[in-house]
Amino acid sequence: MNKHLFILQLFLLIASPIGATSQSNISSDDVSLTIYTYDSLLADPGYQFDRAFEAYANLPNNSVNVVFLPDASSILTKANAEKDSPIADVLIGIDNVLVNQIRELDLLTPYQPSNSQNLNQELVSGLASDYLLTPYDFGVISLWHLNNSFTNSINANEFQLNDILSPDFQNQLIIQNPQLSSPGLGFLLSTIALFGDEEVTSLDSNNEWDNFWRELSASTTITSSWGDAIELLYTEEANKSIMVSYTTSPAYGACLYDDTTTSALLPTINSEKYGWQQIEGLGIVKNSPNMDLAKSFVDWFVSDELQSQIYLNQWMYPANENVAMPDCYNQIIPYNNIKPLNNQINSDLLSQNLDNWLQQWELAWVEGVTDTSNLNTNNWYHVLSSFIAIMIIRLNKRFK
């Protein structure tokens, strides 16, 4: 891709106002249920959950209106702007980090699904024991790479996070901005859990988390979302080979195309693999205009019917324990072999420190990309795009 064109496209993408696209073109008078979610939900190869729910609930065609937004943070922002006169009935995609923010905003009302006995209760406890949010899927944040793209082979059983600072990974990595993206935020929290902080015990004493990011930023591409990252990963001209994703991501190629040319990487410490667990949930908007139908939708979304679609359309683990895992998932790192980094940062600690950590991350990132010793003709456009991303975020914060 032409570098000048890449910068222009990135600037236009970030600078444009956050918008939404509705899956159905119907007037608001006809809408029975409105859902806000992120644009990659059950999207590949694709399951039309809105039409499926209409059939399940015997609703007229196009009576479920899905509004797709770029990421979970955008869902919160839009729902909060409409708080006094809610439009949405259900929010899908708020995870076990953003749950603290949504509590503070007081946007949702608790609801325990009628079929909650089928849910993994550890996920319920890890997300919202009061069912302010109901878990529908979960996964582990990892690095996902193309196997044949590195000069030196990667030993997954000895991999440590500091390894990505080595020359083998130079200009290869794509991360998502933790201020905008939930996988990006999960990866940031992984580094804090591993390298420690004032109130977080270190598991890996080989670096400090902010210094890690300072070094990483000099040769790493940042995107605003997971969708942008994967598009870049598979753009040949971009010459990228590794991105922040999930341990389940290699299942996509294995299940659909019998392709085993990608793998996930997790840091290994004393022969144990560690990863940040993300739990995604859905919740009912407080004062929803269609409360009964919203409850029915939540029941259905964690039912066997919908949950059976998670493995092969969402590429995560379903929260419903009745759903069997397909054989093609045997290619990935077994979930039970992973120690959750979440144990290092409890909910109270996360809530108290998250804003400060994000500010520290931004400072470390900017310091890294502006270090003149790191500048060369191959990464000047990366530096400029990083500045644009940070400045747009700051402007958005000022005007909210």
Side-chain angles (χ1 to χ4, degrees):
M1 179 183 291
N2 181 282
K3 292 178 181 178
H4 298 82
L5 179 59
F6 176 78
I7 293 173
L8 177 60
Q9 290 175 334
L10 182 62
F11 177 81
L12 292 175
L13 173 65
I14 301 174
S16 61
I18 293 177
T21 57
S22 171
Q23 183 162 324
S24 47
N25 297 318
I26 54 179
S27 69
S28 58
D29 293 335
D30 297 326
V31 173
S32 297
L33 191 73
T34 298
I35 298 166
Y36 291 173
T37 189
Y38 51 81
D39 52 17
S40 60
L41 180 69
L42 295 163
D44 196 352
Y47 176 71
Q48 291 188 307
F49 63 91
D50 48 355
R51 305 290 85 89
F53 177 68
E54 289 169 356
Y56 164 82
N58 294 314
L59 297 172
N61 292 339
N62 296 326
S63 57
V64 176
N65 183 37
V66 182
V67 177
F68 291 110
L69 293 147
D71 47 60
S73 295
S74 301
I75 297 170
L76 284 185
T77 299
K78 183 169 175 59
N80 190 48
E82 301 164 353
K83 181 177 179 179
D84 293 337
S85 299
I87 297 173
D89 302 294
V90 176
L91 308 183
I92 306 178
I94 310 303
D95 70 4
N96 50 322
V97 176
L98 291 177
V99 63
N100 295 316
Q101 186 176 346
I102 209 164
R103 283 191 186 280
E104 293 174 3
L105 294 173
D106 194 27
L107 294 178
L108 302 179
T109 187
Y111 170 66
Q112 182 171 352
S114 61
N115 50 357
S116 61
Q117 72 278 2
N118 297 328
L119 296 174
N120 181 323
Q121 293 305 302
E122 290 185 3
L123 300 180
V124 173
S125 299
L127 182 62
S129 57
D130 61 351
Y131 285 94
L132 186 73
L133 288 165
T134 296
Y136 64 87
D137 75 12
F138 66 104
V140 178
I141 303 296
S142 74
L143 295 173
W144 179 34
H145 70 95
L146 310 178
N147 293 340
N148 299 323
S149 298
F150 295 98
T151 303
N152 299 318
S153 61
I154 300 171
N155 187 338
N157 293 322
E158 297 180 0
F159 177 76
Q160 295 187 357
L161 206 53
N162 266 330
D163 292 345
I164 63 175
L165 301 176
S166 71
D168 285 343
F169 291 86
Q170 190 81 13
N171 298 318
Q172 294 293 304
L173 177 63
I174 311 164
I175 65 129
Q176 297 91 49
N177 190 322
Q179 297 168 312
L180 299 173
S181 161
S182 54
L185 182 54
F187 185 62
L188 170 61
L189 293 172
S190 297
T191 65
I192 297 170
L194 281 168
F195 298 126
D197 194 63
E198 290 182 2
E199 297 182 72
V200 181
T201 303
S202 171
L203 290 172
D204 183 347
S205 59
N206 291 320
N207 211 335
E208 296 178 354
W209 76 264
D210 54 346
N211 185 62
F212 169 85
W213 280 98
R214 197 173 290 111
E215 294 181 57
L216 187 69
S217 64
S219 60
T220 299
T221 299
I222 187 170
T223 66
S224 60
S225 69
W226 183 92
D228 291 341
I230 191 172
E231 182 176 352
L232 198 58
L233 182 71
Y234 283 100
T235 299
E236 186 175 352
E237 296 85 351
N239 194 30
K240 306 295 178 184
S241 57
I242 186 166
M243 65 175 277
V244 171
S245 193
Y246 299 89
T247 58
T248 48
S249 295
Y252 176 82
C255 296
L256 294 184
Y257 308 109
D258 196 26
D259 178 2
T260 57
T261 60
T262 70
S263 301
L265 282 174
L266 288 174
T268 302
I269 301 172
N270 297 325
S271 301
E272 299 279 6
K273 293 187 182 298
Y274 288 83
W276 183 268
Q277 182 190 61
Q278 182 186 38
I279 307 169
E280 294 189 297
L282 73 162
I284 298 175
V285 175
K286 198 171 186 177
N287 300 319
S288 158
N290 302 286
M291 187 66 69
D292 289 341
L293 192 55
K295 290 178 179 179
S296 179
F297 180 84
V298 172
D299 289 347
W300 176 77
F301 210 80
V302 294
S303 71
D304 293 2
E305 179 181 345
L306 183 284
Q307 290 282 292
S308 65
Q309 301 295 327
I310 296 290
Y311 276 121
L312 299 181
N313 286 283
Q314 183 73 352
W315 307 104
M316 298 276 274
Y317 296 103
N320 184 324
E321 295 186 309
N322 290 339
V323 180
M325 185 174 72
D327 290 342
C328 53
Y329 265 66
N330 293 332
Q331 306 288 333
I332 68 176
I333 301 171
Y335 173 75
N336 292 333
N337 292 358
I338 303 169
K339 288 188 172 295
L341 286 169
N342 310 57
N343 294 341
Q344 297 290 107
I345 306 174
N346 64 43
S347 180
D348 289 341
L349 193 60
L350 180 59
S351 179
Q352 293 164 11
N353 290 278
L354 183 58
D355 287 345
N356 182 51
W357 285 337
L358 285 170
Q359 290 174 6
Q360 287 181 259
W361 170 84
E362 181 179 308
L363 178 61
W365 184 270
V366 170
E367 287 177 350
V369 297
T370 55
D371 184 348
T372 56
S373 66
N374 295 322
L375 293 178
N376 58 57
T377 56
N378 291 323
N379 68 2
W380 66 270
Y381 66 98
H382 146 70
V383 172
L384 180 57
S385 65
S386 295
F387 266 123
I388 292 170
I390 296 298
M391 292 307 298
I392 292 299
I393 291 167
R394 287 182 175 178
L395 287 172
N396 284 341
K397 286 179 180 177
R398 286 185 60 189
F399 292 109
K400 281 180 183 176

